[in-house]
Amino acid sequence: MRGIPATAATAALSVALAATLAACGAGEDGERGGTAAPSATATAPGAIAWGPCTDIQRPGGQSAAPEPGEECGKLAVPLDYADPSAGTIDIALIRVKATGPGERIGSLLFNFGGPGASGVDTLAQAAKVLGSLRTRYDLVSFDPRGVERSSGVRCGGTAEMDEFTAVDSTPEDAAERAEIEQVIEEFAGACEKTSGKVLPYIGTVSAAEDMERIRQALGDAKLNYVGMSYGTELGAVYATRYPKNVGRFLLDAPVDPSLSMREHTLAQTAGFQQAYESFLKDCVKDGQCKIGADQDAADENVAALLKKLNDKPLPVGSGRELTEGLAITAIASALYSEQTWPFLDQALSTAIRGNGQALMALADNYNGREPDGSYSTIMSSFPAISCVDTAERPDEAELLRTEKEALKISPLFGSAGMGTICSSWPIPGNDESKKIDASGSAPIVVIAGTGDPATPYEWGPKLVEQLGTGVLVTYKGEGHGAYLSGDACVKQVSDDYLLDGKVPAEGTTCPKE
């Protein structure tokens, strides 16, 4: 679940995953709904035509060798499940076949978050890290509808996306506020112009229906699934619609789908502020912190940098400038993983001395901006999916109230949140994905982290309650997500469940005390 900054409607897993790979090698609270019946007009699943993967974004570049046993394919599904005559949409998939030893269990489907993260690219990068699961599962992931190869939503070219991602999320006066509103309206208009055909049909409920078609096409009797961040919401919606088809479900870094936009914004603001304070405390503990000798001094130096950037953006070459908005994005991105905190200290200190390239690199990574200026779809598909998933369209007064409350929590990360975009969104949304009740499903394991900035810990128990079949595991650690954190206890608990079906006991906590 992507968090701060709000002008980009911001979990992406990308920063945390990149760090792990380097180290290893919403409307008003919805009523709980009953089990929703599958669409009466649902069509029979098609077949997946598997073949070589030809366009994977790999850490080593396009020339990097594919993972042995890796293959890609497409599955045609209805564009509109309520009206199959409206045509189909192709869902792009990737599979990395099981290696053994041990008897193959079946397929294990992943969604790595967002909404809007490419499961095809991410699984290709993460296959080695997930090696223990691959011994008995074919690892499978997909680009959800509206993402990258699956009719990915795009909202303008490089110039438009650069303007959108650079805008400040905390306006200081009416002129800045008007500028933000104009940029967002232009962004939403570009989305409708280039992707209007698919915009109404890319919500989480439709993506959950796609997962059922994927299960059938893979030939699995039950769906075994790992959902991270937004992937926990997608998994919860699937389990609500198809509780009898739930196999082994692991939901890591859980989202509370029932929250209103205001509640979501305030919780994430507090989460990122907590993570930022933890970063500062960690930075100064050994006297080696580059941005300040103590926590107060470091915080003041960062605040001074941001004020300076607001007054005068910092040139970083190639005609680009580091704005206050981009710097806040960079800070937030590094808070997703404790492993990136030392780099954040270095990046902030060099920016304070007049070199903003490292902060810009962090922001670009988070925003999906490539060195050639092209963007992945994540900054477009994230708001597109999020706004379809809620009926809320807050007015200016509501946005200002939320912003005021958020700024009290965090002057650094406070903003009006996702509502700033959904208020201008050209497509109406609905609250169907907020109605979670997986009664009748097999046990679903939910892992929540106490130091998670993007999906605060309290969302874990709330999702467990809504599911009705959830079992909570508490991860006492920093960063977004637990399974890829490197914690041995989390990995053992998760693998015991996914590989051997051992459901963790209620009250399980990691690391073990």
Side-chain angles (χ1 to χ4, degrees):
M1 177 58 59
R2 294 175 72 83
I4 310 301
T7 52
T10 64
L13 181 70
S14 57
V15 176
L17 178 60
T20 303
L21 292 172
C24 298
E28 294 181 356
D29 289 354
E31 297 178 1
R32 284 181 51 168
T35 301
S39 170
T41 57
T43 57
I48 302 171
W50 296 106
C53 298
T54 59
D55 62 349
I56 300 294
Q57 297 294 321
R58 303 182 191 278
Q62 293 283 43
S63 61
E67 184 72 17
E70 173 189 282
E71 53 189 2
C72 290
K74 290 184 178 181
L75 176 65
V77 299
L79 174 66
D80 180 0
Y81 278 97
D83 180 15
S85 67
T88 61
I89 185 173
D90 285 340
I91 303 301
L93 297 106
I94 183 171
R95 176 168 65 183
V96 186
K97 291 185 176 180
T99 59
E103 183 180 356
R104 178 182 175 277
I105 297 171
S107 305
L108 183 60
L109 186 67
F110 287 82
N111 180 282
F112 294 99
S118 167
V120 173
D121 290 330
T122 307
L123 182 58
Q125 297 175 29
K128 288 185 173 65
V129 177
L130 302 170
S132 60
L133 300 176
R134 190 184 170 192
T135 58
R136 300 186 62 199
Y137 286 105
D138 292 342
L139 308 183
V140 180
S141 192
F142 63 110
D143 289 352
R145 53 175 60 209
V147 177
E148 291 299 335
R149 303 160 185 83
S150 301
S151 298
V153 174
R154 295 195 179 274
C155 304
T158 297
E160 291 80 8
M161 292 302 298
D162 279 350
E163 182 179 31
F164 175 67
T165 56
V167 72
D168 184 7
S169 61
T170 54
E172 295 185 353
D173 53 40
E176 285 192 7
R177 190 175 302 280
E179 179 185 356
I180 292 172
E181 291 174 356
Q182 180 179 350
V183 170
I184 289 175
E185 287 178 4
E186 291 174 351
F187 172 82
C191 295
E192 184 177 27
K193 182 178 179 179
T194 58
S195 300
K197 179 181 177 181
V198 300
L199 285 186
Y201 308 111
I202 58 173
T204 298
V205 171
S206 293
E209 290 291 341
D210 295 341
M211 285 170 53
E212 173 61 8
R213 302 314 181 276
I214 291 171
R215 178 195 69 80
Q216 295 176 40
L218 291 171
D220 292 319
K222 302 280 187 178
L223 181 67
N224 300 308
Y225 176 77
V226 175
M228 300 178 178
S229 194
Y230 161 77
T232 65
E233 180 176 354
L234 177 57
V237 171
Y238 177 90
T240 296
R241 299 180 75 80
Y242 295 98
K244 298 300 183 182
N245 294 344
V246 169
R248 297 172 188 175
F249 260 50
L250 181 73
L251 305 182
D252 180 12
V255 174
D256 178 2
S258 72
L259 294 178
S260 67
M261 283 187 178
R262 172 186 163 276
E263 292 167 332
H264 188 280
T265 297
L266 298 182
Q268 277 201 329
T269 300
F272 275 93
Q273 180 62 27
Q274 175 185 319
Y276 175 66
E277 292 172 2
S278 296
F279 154 70
L280 293 177
K281 183 178 180 180
D282 180 78
C283 188
V284 302
K285 68 181 181 182
D286 58 3
Q288 302 299 313
C289 188
K290 295 180 174 60
I291 57 173
D294 57 53
Q295 194 166 336
D296 288 339
D299 186 32
E300 290 170 3
N301 288 336
V302 173
L305 168 65
L306 295 174
K307 184 179 186 306
K308 185 176 180 180
L309 292 174
N310 182 65
D311 296 336
K312 186 179 181 180
L314 183 62
V316 293
S318 301
R320 302 186 69 202
E321 293 181 329
L322 179 70
T323 64
E324 180 186 19
L326 286 167
I328 292 174
T329 297
I331 294 169
S333 74
L335 296 178
Y336 272 77
S337 171
E338 192 173 8
Q339 296 176 56
T340 53
W341 289 2
F343 183 74
L344 177 59
D345 177 35
Q346 179 181 346
L348 285 167
S349 67
T350 57
I352 290 170
R353 296 196 303 271
N355 184 341
Q357 291 182 342
L359 282 182
M360 184 66 90
L362 280 171
D364 284 351
N365 182 60
Y366 186 90
N367 289 331
R369 191 186 195 276
E370 300 296 332
D372 64 1
S374 63
Y375 279 82
S376 72
T377 65
I378 193 164
M379 297 307 288
S380 299
S381 55
F382 176 86
I385 295 169
S386 298
C387 292
V388 169
D389 277 352
T390 177
E392 281 192 89
R393 297 295 184 262
D395 59 23
E396 184 175 357
E398 291 177 277
L399 294 175
L400 288 173
R401 282 196 296 270
T402 300
E403 181 182 285
K404 184 177 180 180
E405 290 182 78
L407 286 170
K408 287 182 179 178
I409 296 171
S410 173
L412 175 57
F413 297 117
S415 73
M418 191 62 217
T420 57
I421 295 181
C422 290
S423 293
S424 299
W425 202 246
I427 304 298
N430 64 73
D431 293 332
E432 189 63 28
S433 64
K434 296 177 180 293
K435 302 171 184 177
I436 302 301
D437 185 346
S439 298
S441 79
I444 297 173
V445 176
V446 178
I447 307 179
T450 57
D452 195 318
T455 53
Y457 176 77
E458 61 265 26
W459 292 359
K462 290 180 180 178
L463 181 59
V464 166
E465 180 183 0
Q466 291 166 56
L467 287 167
T469 56
V471 178
L472 181 66
V473 174
T474 296
Y475 167 54
K476 292 186 175 180
E478 300 290 341
H480 184 45
Y483 187 79
L484 296 175
S485 68
D487 182 76
C489 170
V490 169
K491 189 175 189 308
Q492 186 68 55
V493 168
S494 300
D495 285 2
D496 284 351
Y497 168 64
L498 292 170
L499 294 172
D500 299 321
K502 182 180 178 182
V503 178
E506 288 284 355
T508 297
T509 299
C510 288
K512 293 181 180 178
E513 298 176 346

